[in-house]
Amino acid sequence: RPRVFSGIQPTADSFHLGNYLGALRHWVALQETHETFYCVVDLHAITAGHDPKTLRQRSRIAAAQLFAVGIDPEQSTLFVQSQVPEHSQLAWVLGCITGFGEASRMTQFKDKSQKQGSDRSSVGLFTYPILQAADILLYQADAVPVGEDQRQHLELSRDLAQRFNTLFGRTFTVPAPHIVKDTAKITDLQEPTAKMSKSSSSPAGIIDLLEDPARTAKKIRSAVTDTGREIVFDAEGKPGISNLLTIYSALSGRDIDDLVAAYAGKGYGDLKKDLAEVVADFVRPIQERTRGYLDDPAQLDKLLATGAEKARAVAAPTLRAVYERIGFFPPV
Ligand code: ATP
Ligand code: MG
């Protein structure tokens, strides 16, 4: 079975529908065809400032949600990044074969640092894509499911794998992007041309998996829609309504064309009301299962420790090979 690696940041108290539709549902599906490694990337979550106690709790909530949406600890290796020290160890080595100019071209850094003010951005935010390369390469992943927002970072991972292999001898599998046909890019409800994001969307712009469905219904009701009254799919001309249709279609399994036909002659309000119900039915069981995991943190931590052990069994031999090739002493 080809191997897959993917990670998600514990940067909020809940994942949002963009995370689910753009990434997590594919993670679940890939378990059937791939050997899957999934990581709660807490090292990445401290690149833009954080609160220690909140972080640990968010990592647990993240893991609980992953189990709740269908990541099966028997089928997948699910772990928290900070429990596998090889990630930071490999990141240092990769950082030393990354050009400063090369790293400077990463657009996510430019975007995020512009928002924070470049003097206040950390070096960690700058080197983030190098750590991400280490995450992937440690597991010799064949494929990485990525959203559009992560494509450039995966390109860097591929370059670094090839460069290391050329410089020091074949060590890493060069990972390919795993592109899922019609991967949904979900946009902000209040700003339908920007992506829905844990850290940059306003609360009114995000639908969280763990929020009260009544609150979600309210957010959907006040979602920014477009001029005109017709319910049609037109991502350019009607980004607001199109986003709602995308969510509706993905969660209900009904084709967009089908929905458009069904809502012919009806208004935005009807669509929003029905969508709120679709979302509520979808999140309710996820919320219940997440609560179940969080009610027993000791058991949850144990599942994660087991995951970390399984991860290390793969990561450690990779790091050992790297140390050998570059002239370090073997890790003890
Ligand atoms: P942050 O704002 O902290 O970067 P995020 O919402 O972008 O958070 P990440 O943890 O960076 O979430 O990404 C997790 C996964 O979710 C990635 O695979 C990413 O491509 C995907 N993803 C994030 N936002 C969206 C979105 N709006 N639509 C589709 N996929 C998304
Ligand atoms: Mg992101």
Side-chain angles (χ1 to χ4, degrees), residues 3 5 37 39 43 79 81 83-91 93-94 130-142 157 161 171-173 175 310-323:
R3 196 178 274 168
F5 176 93
F37 287 79
C39 185
L43 266 58
F79 64 104
Q81 191 182 25
Q83 292 197 303
V84 180
E86 284 81 1
H87 289 251
S88 355
Q89 291 173 297
L90 180 59
V93 174
L94 294 178
I130 299 169
L131 177 59
Q132 204 174 351
D135 299 339
I136 297 164
L137 301 185
L138 266 181
Y139 299 94
Q140 309 286 357
D142 301 289
S157 301
T171 309
F172 295 120
T173 303
K310 273 164 65 186
R312 287 199 83 181
V314 177
T318 303
L319 188 74
R320 180 170 287 273
V322 167
Y323 273 31

Side-chain angles (χ1 to χ4, degrees), residues 137-175:
L137 301 185
L138 266 181
Y139 299 94
Q140 309 286 357
D142 301 289
V144 182
V146 279
E148 211 38 63
D149 59 329
Q150 291 299 325
R151 205 180 265 271
Q152 193 188 27
H153 290 173
L154 183 64
E155 208 41 57
L156 179 71
S157 301
R158 289 168 55 81
D159 290 345
L160 292 177
Q162 272 153 351
R163 191 172 307 155
F164 189 98
N165 288 348
T166 307
L167 288 170
F168 302 108
R170 214 187 118 41
T171 309
F172 295 120
T173 303
V174 180

Side-chain angles (χ1 to χ4, degrees), residues 45-83:
I46 66 167
T47 50
H50 76 290
D51 167 60
K53 226 166 117 190
T54 311
L55 177 61
R56 194 172 299 114
Q57 188 53 16
R58 284 179 170 178
S59 293
R60 287 201 184 97
I61 297 173
Q65 283 175 98
L66 292 174
F67 290 129
V69 300
I71 303 300
D72 172 0
E74 298 291 322
Q75 276 184 298
S76 290
T77 301
L78 172 61
F79 64 104
V80 176
Q81 191 182 25
S82 56
Q83 292 197 303

Side-chain angles (χ1 to χ4, degrees), residues 3 11 15 21 43 61 79 98 169 192 221 240 259 268 293 298 311 315:
R3 196 178 274 168
T11 36
F15 293 142
L21 295 176
L43 266 58
I61 297 173
F79 64 104
T98 308
R221 251 195 328 269
L259 291 173
Y268 290 168
Y293 284 103

